[in-house]
Every structure is written in structure tokens, then in C-alpha cells.
Amino acid sequence: MILGVNYMAWRWLFSVNWSAAWISVPLVIVETYSLIDAFLFGVTMWKLRVRDTPPAPPEDLTVDAFITTYNEPISLVMTTALAASRISYPHKTWILDDGARPAMKRAAENAGIGYITRSPDWENHPRHAKAGNLNNALAATQGEFLLILDADQVPEPEIVHSMLGHFNNEKVALVQTPQWFHNVTDEDILGSQAPLFYGPIQQGKDGWNAAFFCGSNAMIRREALMQIGITGYVQGVRTTVQQTLKAADKVITKARAEHAATGPHVNRALNDVGQAVRSARKELHENKPVANVTYDFQRKVDAASKSIVTVDVAALLADLDEIARLSRDGGTGAYIGDDVIDRLARRDWSPIGAIESVREMVQALDVDRSEEALPVMPMATNSVTEDMATCMRLHTQGWESVYHHEIQAKGLAPEDLRTMLTQRLRWAQGTMQVFLRENPLLQRGLSLGQRLMYFSTMWSYLSGFAAVVYIAAPIIFLCFGVMPVDAFSVDFFARLIPFLVMNQMLFFVAARGRKTWRGQQYSLALFPVWIKACTTAAANVLFGRDLGFAVTPKTRQDGGPPWSLIRPQLVAIAALVVAAVTGLVRMFTGLGAPAGTLVNIAWVVFDLLILSVIIRAALYKGFTPTEGVENSGI
């Protein structure tokens, strides 16, 4: 960090080429981004935790093993379910079939395995993909601890024994184990194994009590899930009341302006209701009990309504029609929406009509959350990846998580680039949804370390924008001679090279012999995926555009190399090659400075080494058993 700060301070103060600010400023900005990224990685490694073997768990705990499925092959699901049924610790195995397939139900029943599909309560309600499937199963089962497995993650018989002992600590809500894939070659051309994440990164996060829930191969304490579910329900009701009072404030403010000259008794009544609205909003902000706030508010509105005895009959009849319409709207929605607020605020109300509309809004509060199939949703439904959001909510409530660094289930990784891109896009979109909706830096209940651990993962997905600049800068210099750095001087190299060397040493030391090059390649090579994830997640959160939910296929998708899906990378590769040739020609003809040209040629070669993985991935023909590597344990 000392070397990095020294380099970046020099870059900002002395080396920005302001005459070409259109490229030099973006470059120094993304370099600063990379320094922050290195800092966050270093913080993660600072408290890396290697846990001892947990104590043996009590034998009288109740455990439910959940196997989530939607459209995976029945034979694949049954392989996992049968392995789960052979887990040595007493438990109940359940197949959670979101596809409601009769053949899946018959296979489960024939094997004596529990089968759960959506209840009728979910008809005409949002389904929330895997999160909804798990929430539905939570309502139908009773186990104290839940083992969650994806349909392809075949568990070892000792998986529960190895994890359950961690829950002897009553503050532990979650235990996560690695995800390891048996259909991956030693080359791991699609970068599936993630040895850096399922190892040093998770262990580093564990040191900060921020080990992540990764959606599968994890155990969760039901009590903890139900607590955050109920907390979420209460917060949902509170939000509904806040929105309703916001609408009431607009209605009363407009009515007071329109009827200022009506008479003192009318003004007094409207002022009383306005004061009641402001008081109720303040009490909610102070976290007073919602039931008390709404009860006191309704009493004040009733008193104000009775104080008005003179009204215009025609205006009152029109108001009654609007109030009836409001009642119909309020009875079918979760809260008073912005469209209703605008409609109410625009309307010319009689004094009593304004007060009665406020009363009707409060009485129409939907405390049963009729827009959802279940009022309590323990698994977070605000993201296409429920795991990170759920885990962060557990941490905000003071629960602890554990990363258990032992392979206890073996799954199937994507066998083609198309499937891998679908999977990575969904992961990135879900992470950015959580960032935009529940920014960890702003969440109450998280420690500083936990905030940084969540933020570091979210921050990493912004690398797609940085990659564009890192690819463009050498191309611009080699083709047009535009220097993003004021001079490639001794000062430049003396500051940059030590920082780069130490940065790579940090990865080398943290990896402890694990292969990390593939992960570094994909962090840059998938830059169009990261950009798309950021933009589509923002469109979803800010404008309500649908993301959809794509289940990762568990078999290879035929159709030949998906060149169209990696067109941006191919264009970048072609541009880098052209730039290298152009730069050499310019240098030998005296148009390009030798030092700058050679530096940027080296930069281009590095970018090409990184991006070349995407071509090999497109040509990858899938896994064959003879290529596999045997697991020797972690």
C-alpha cells in the first residue's frame, strides 16, 4: 500500500497529461480503482483464519437437507438426493421441485425421499426463483438446521457431522463449505474451481466474521433465518406506513392551502391532522412501535373529523366516490404507490373529504403483505442471487458465519462458455442488485470489517469499466501517439514496477501454492459481462426492468463456439494486434518514442495473454472422464 500510494500520488500530481485529459484522466482514475481493489484484497488477507476441527455435535438436533431443483434432469437430482439420504447424521431429505414435475415426485416417493413443491398460496404472486422455493420449503418443514444443496452437489456421508459442531456456538447462523467440481480438467479452462475464493478469500472474510453464504453446500440455523424474516416483515410494514403517511401529508397540505379561508374550526381540524401526520412520521423515524403509532394517529384523525360540521354536500359526494376508489386500490396493494399519491395530491378535496381520505389510507394498510405469497420471507428476495443478501442480513442482526475449509460435496461445473457466461452474469447481477438496494457501507449492525468485506466483492464487479480503459490506453498511444502519461521517465518506472511486483507477490503469498492465474485472466476477459451486469442491475433497481432468472444448465449446450457472445473481446484482441503492429511501424519510422512504444507493446502483450483465455474457452469441447483430476482434499 505504501508503494501504491506513492505511485498514485505521483501520477495525480506530476504525470497526468492534461493536454490529452480525455484518456489520461480516465486512466489515472482506473489506476486508483485498482489501488483500492488491492487495498481491499490486502485487508481481506490481513485476518485470514484457519479454523480447527469443530467439536462433535449433539445427536438430538433436527436437520432438514434441502435439494433445490427446477428443470435439471431427474436422474441428476436423484443422484444427489440419494446421496443426501445416506448422510450419516439423523435427518430428513427433501427435494424442492420448483418445476412441479409429476415424474420427479414419483421418483422421490419411490425412494422414500420427501417432496415439496409450491403451495397454492403462490398462484398469481411473485415466485422469487430459488429464494421463493426455499421460503416455501421453510414454511413446510420444521428442522432446526438446514443443509442446502444444489441439484448437482452430491454430498459426502459425513457432511453434517463435519459442519454441525460449529453450531455449538449459539451465535453461529451459517456454515459454508467449498464448492468443488469433479468435471473440471487440471487446466480449468472455464475458471470454475475458484481456488482463491474457496480458500484464502473466504478464510480472510471469515477472520472478519463475514464468510459468505454461496447458495449451496451450506448449513443454516432456522432460528436465525426466521429472525431476519420477521425483521424484514416488520420493516416492510413500517415502509408501508411511511409511504401512507407521505401520501396523507400531501393531501392535508393541499387541503389546508385550498380552504384557508373556510373558517377557524376547519383550519383547526386540518392543522390537527397535519400535526398528527408529522408526529407519526417522526415517531416512525424514532423506531416507535408501528401499532402504537398508527393507533394514536387514527384517534387524532377521528377527533379532527368530528370537529367539522359544515361541508358542501356536492363536494362531499364527489369525495366519497374518490374515497371508495382509494379503498379498492388500497385493498389490493402492499402500500400506497407513487401514482396514488400523485392522484390524491392533485385532487381538490373538501375539508372532511381530505380527512376521510387520510383515515381510509391508514385503514387500508396491508399488514398481511397480500402482494406476496407468504408474509414472512426469510430468504432475501431482492436479488437474483439470494445468498449474499440473506447472509448480509444475518450479519446485521449480530449472527456469525463460519467458513469450513473442507470439501464435503462435489458438483458439476459449466462445460461450455455459453453456460459459464450465463452463470457469471447472474452472480454479478445479483451482487450489484444487493449493492444498489442494501449498500453494505450504509447498513446498521455491520462492523467496519464486515462492511469492507461485502463492499470488496461488489467493488470488484466495477472492473469491467476499468478494463475498457486498460485496453484502450495502449491502443490509443500506439496508433495515434497520444500519451496518457506525461512522460515514461525514470520516475514512472521507479514507482510503478515495485508496486506491480509487490502486488503480484501479495497474490502469490495469499494463494499459498494455489493456481490463481485463471481467475486473474477472467477478471479482465469477462469485462463485457461485468459491464452488462452493472447496467442491467441498475436498470432493474432504478427503473424496474426485469432481469429474469436463468437456471445454470447442468449439461453441455450444443451449437458450436459462441463467437457472437464474445464479440467485444474479439474486437479488443484484433485492435490490440493492429495497435502493436502500428506502434512498431511508427517507432521504426521515427514517429513513435522508443521507450513509450516498448512499454505499451509489453502492455498489449499482457492484455493479449489475459484475453486469449476467452478464445480457448469458446473452443472448449467439454469434459471427458479421462481428463479429470482426482481430489486429494484441501
Side-chain angles (χ1 to χ4, degrees), residues 207-363:
W208 293 100
N209 184 27
F212 285 1
F213 173 35
C214 301
S216 182
N217 306 3
M219 289 196 74
I220 305 181
R221 189 189 298 267
R222 179 186 289 268
E223 176 192 353
L225 279 179
M226 296 311 297
Q227 179 186 338
I228 63 171
I230 293 170
T231 300
Y233 165 77
V234 171
Q235 184 57 48
V237 172
R238 185 176 293 274
T239 300
T240 298
V241 176
Q242 288 171 337
Q243 191 77 351
T244 301
L245 291 173
K246 176 184 175 183
D249 201 9
K250 288 191 174 184
V251 169
I252 294 301
T253 299
K254 192 170 190 294
R256 287 167 62 188
E258 292 172 352
H259 300 285
T262 304
H265 62 293
V266 171
N267 288 331
R268 188 163 48 251
L270 291 173
N271 286 337
D272 288 346
V273 175
Q275 179 59 39
V277 170
R278 290 189 295 274
S279 177
R281 296 181 75 177
K282 180 181 177 182
E283 289 174 357
L284 283 178
H285 183 71
E286 295 172 351
N287 288 322
K288 298 288 181 64
V290 174
N292 293 349
V293 173
T294 54
Y295 177 72
D296 291 343
F297 178 69
Q298 287 178 329
R299 288 181 60 194
K300 293 175 182 177
V301 171
D302 288 342
S305 179
K306 291 176 182 178
S307 70
I308 301 179
V309 294
T310 305
V311 294
D312 180 83
V313 175
L316 177 59
L317 291 175
D319 289 346
L320 291 175
D321 289 339
E322 185 64 25
I323 291 168
R325 182 181 174 189
L326 171 63
S327 180
R328 291 192 298 272
D329 291 349
T332 58
Y335 58 86
I336 307 299
D338 289 337
D339 56 336
V340 178
I341 292 173
D342 293 339
R343 190 183 81 215
L344 296 177
R346 287 194 305 269
R347 194 183 189 286
D348 294 330
W349 290 96
S350 69
I352 197 169
I355 293 174
E356 288 302 308
S357 69
V358 169
R359 186 213 304 271
E360 187 65 33
M361 279 189 282
V362 176
Q363 291 177 343

Side-chain angles (χ1 to χ4, degrees), residues 415-445:
E415 292 196 16
D416 62 278
L417 180 61
R418 183 180 286 105
T419 301
M420 185 267 274
L421 293 176
T422 299
Q423 182 189 69
R424 301 294 176 87
L425 176 63
R426 188 180 77 246
W427 290 349
Q429 285 174 327
T431 300
M432 296 312 295
Q433 280 180 305
V434 177
F435 175 65
L436 293 169
R437 288 190 169 122
E438 299 182 19
N439 187 334
L441 298 179
L442 305 177
Q443 292 301 305
R444 294 181 180 179

